[in-house]
DNA sequence: TTGCTACTGTGTATTTTTTACACTAAGTAA
DNA sequence: TTACTTAGTGTAAAAAATACACAGTAGCAA
């Protein structure tokens, strides 16, 4: 691996959607006392790494994502760059850095990326025992400035989802309209009228019904839809306001 | 001055509004042959500089702005970070760097800032003979990836101005509704109905009429308004969609 | 097999918002 | 005094957003 640039990192806020809740993927950070083996602290961080020399920052983010979720080709967009030299203020962070990365510069500028994954396809627990999903409204203790990062990523997502069809990245390829509605409700923190929601979806040519129904549910099975980016790209000029 | 960080810079896209046009402030870059004194090339760049060690990136941007316009306390917001290691591709850029900054790293990540100034207060030509205003739709030859930066800053501004009251940063403190309308039309590239525009403005409590009229114009003088951020902060929950 | 549960799917009337549109008013300059 | 230029104003029609209730169907349990 190429040497990494001391002063520049990327951090990926990875969102997933499951059972009507918006979740974020976090990595557990546990510092042990070298001598006694006692745990000094436990907290969580988002996924990040330094940018390598000659590496595009987008590629650095993709690399982090690949490592943490096992997937590439997933939605990824830069949302903010964090350049406060005082970002490392907690005692936990100082302990962690001096134990693990004694050679890294104190002043690290980090580019934050917002990533959306279909969490039915990602099972991080089986691949990386220290990563797990956390509901965005019930986060554990976080390291560095990652609480702020997540809050900002969420603001970004809220605005983004009202202008562009990124919500589908969080759903399986085939989804029902109720799933889609739940997604919007969870992200925007509102409740929407079902009939009005479906009226709007009906006008969007890029949300396409399939001749297929849900199976194995203990109620009337719902019709299944797909999102067509192709159709969207051809019709977006007509309708730029999405669903809300 | 503290040493600067090799790999991180900020670039400020400074927008001004004048005579119904949106302009951007650019610095002329002219490379001379050391021996003959002949001009090897001439082009333009936005205003940028490396981030200093221990300096907040926002402060770095403010520092650049202060240097180039003489003002502080002006609107400034990060819009995108440019991290393509291939950003320097033109022969002109290579010549310039090897002549002027032989020690700087090849891979520089730059944080782009969008800045809005009341250009009636800024006279860069008198302070810095190499800076001048250019209409955004008629830009000269640009160095580095600054054409892309300006395009992105403009996209950012277009979206931003539809959600938040940043347009007033481009106008004098006291302005007429026609000036405001011209501003929106110039930035969004649309034409708006005057009566409907004024109807909307009338609903916005934070755009406040003064008992004062334009003077010295060869037509019916217009009433003068101010923007009150104070009132806006207290009422924004009611109306988040601005003017369009 | 019957009934219970849980979620799907559908239309209309009302209110609100957006749009389109044309003439008079007031000041300067010739 | 006239011509020119921009300011300032209201209404009707169309479109969009909102509020709202009941029948349909699959699985499951009694």
């Amino acid at each position: 691996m190429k040497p990494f640039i001391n002063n520049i990192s990327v951090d990926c806020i990875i969102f997933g959607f499951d059972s009507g809740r918006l979740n974020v993927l976090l990595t557990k950070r546990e510092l042990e006392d070298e001598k006694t083996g006692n745990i000094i602290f436990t907290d969580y961080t988002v996924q990040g790494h330094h940018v390598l020399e000659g590496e595009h920052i987008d590629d650095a983010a993709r690399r982090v994502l690949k490592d943490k979720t096992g997937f590439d080709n997933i939605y990824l967009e830069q949302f903010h760059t964090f350049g406060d030299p005082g970002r490392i203020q907690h005692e936990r962070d100082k302990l962690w850095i001096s134990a693990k990365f004694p050679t890294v510069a104190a002043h690290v500028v980090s580019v934050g990326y917002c990533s959306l994954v279909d969490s039915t396809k990602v099972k991080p627990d089986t691949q990386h025992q220290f990563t797990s999903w956390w509901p965005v409204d019930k986060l554990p203790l976080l390291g560095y400035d990652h609480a702020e990062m997540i809050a900002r990523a969420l603001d970004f997502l809220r605005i983004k989802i009202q202008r562009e069809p990124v919500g589908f990245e969080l759903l399986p390829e085939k989804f029902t309209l109720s799933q889609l509605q739940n997604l919007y409700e969870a992200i925007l923190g509102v409740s929407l009228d079902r009939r009005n929601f479906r009226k709007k979806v009906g006008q969007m040519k890029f949300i396409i019904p399939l001749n297929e129904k849900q199976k194995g549910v203990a109620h009337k099975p719902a019709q299944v839809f797909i999102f067509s980016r192709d159709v969207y790209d051809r019709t977006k000029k007509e309708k730029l306001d999405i669903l809300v």
Side-chain angles (χ1 to χ4, degrees), chain A residues 98-120:
Chain A
S98 67
K100 307 273 179 174
F101 308 103
T103 65
V104 164
H107 186 184
V108 177
V109 170
S110 182
V111 184
Y113 280 79
C114 174
S115 171
L116 307 178
V117 305
D118 168 7
S119 58
T120 62

Side-chain angles (χ1 to χ4, degrees), chain A residues 18-189:
Chain A
D18 193 32
S19 313
R21 299 188 88 161
L22 186 66
N23 301 307
V24 62
L25 195 66
L26 298 175
T27 297
K28 193 193 238 178
R29 183 170 77 155
E30 219 165 55
L31 186 64
E32 290 185 3
D33 187 301
E34 280 191 19
K35 293 174 187 167
T36 64
N38 289 343
I39 291 173
I40 299 173
F41 71 82
T42 297
D43 65 4
Y44 290 80
T45 64
V46 300
Q47 290 68 39
H49 197 264
H50 280 264
V51 175
L52 308 183
E53 271 182 29
E55 183 182 44
H56 196 301
I57 55 174
D58 292 352
D59 290 332
R62 270 189 282 270
R63 175 168 52 81
V64 168
L65 266 172
K66 175 79 179 172
D67 287 352
K68 300 295 170 177
T69 66
F71 276 89
D72 24 29
N73 272 336
I74 60 188
Y75 174 85
L76 185 64
E77 190 171 358
Q78 189 196 117
F79 67 93
H80 191 75
T81 294
F82 298 84
D84 185 349
R87 284 174 60 212
I88 293 161
Q89 42 184 316
H90 300 299
E91 196 53 38
R92 302 195 308 280
D93 300 328
K94 291 176 187 164
L95 287 170
W96 181 263
I97 288 170
S98 67
K100 307 273 179 174
F101 308 103
T103 65
V104 164
H107 186 184
V108 177
V109 170
S110 182
V111 184
Y113 280 79
C114 174
S115 171
L116 307 178
V117 305
D118 168 7
S119 58
T120 62
K121 284 194 190 157
V122 180
K123 297 199 181 65
D125 288 323
T126 62
Q127 298 170 9
H128 301 84
Q129 62 178 121
F130 288 104
T131 61
S132 53
W133 290 107
W134 291 80
V136 291
D137 50 5
K138 214 177 164 183
L139 294 171
L141 181 66
L142 291 156
Y144 305 113
D145 55 350
H146 289 186
E148 187 201 340
M149 276 194 191
I150 293 171
R152 264 194 187 263
L154 196 46
D155 286 344
F156 171 82
L157 178 57
R158 286 201 179 109
I159 290 174
K160 187 85 183 172
I161 205 173
Q162 292 182 64
R163 301 197 142 248
E164 286 176 54
V166 295
F168 307 100
E169 308 287 344
L170 289 160
L171 294 175
E173 193 191 4
K174 298 175 180 182
F175 54 87
T176 70
L177 295 189
S178 293
Q179 285 176 296
L180 187 62
Q181 184 177 341
N182 288 340
L183 175 66
Y184 274 82
E185 290 179 333
I187 292 177
L188 298 175

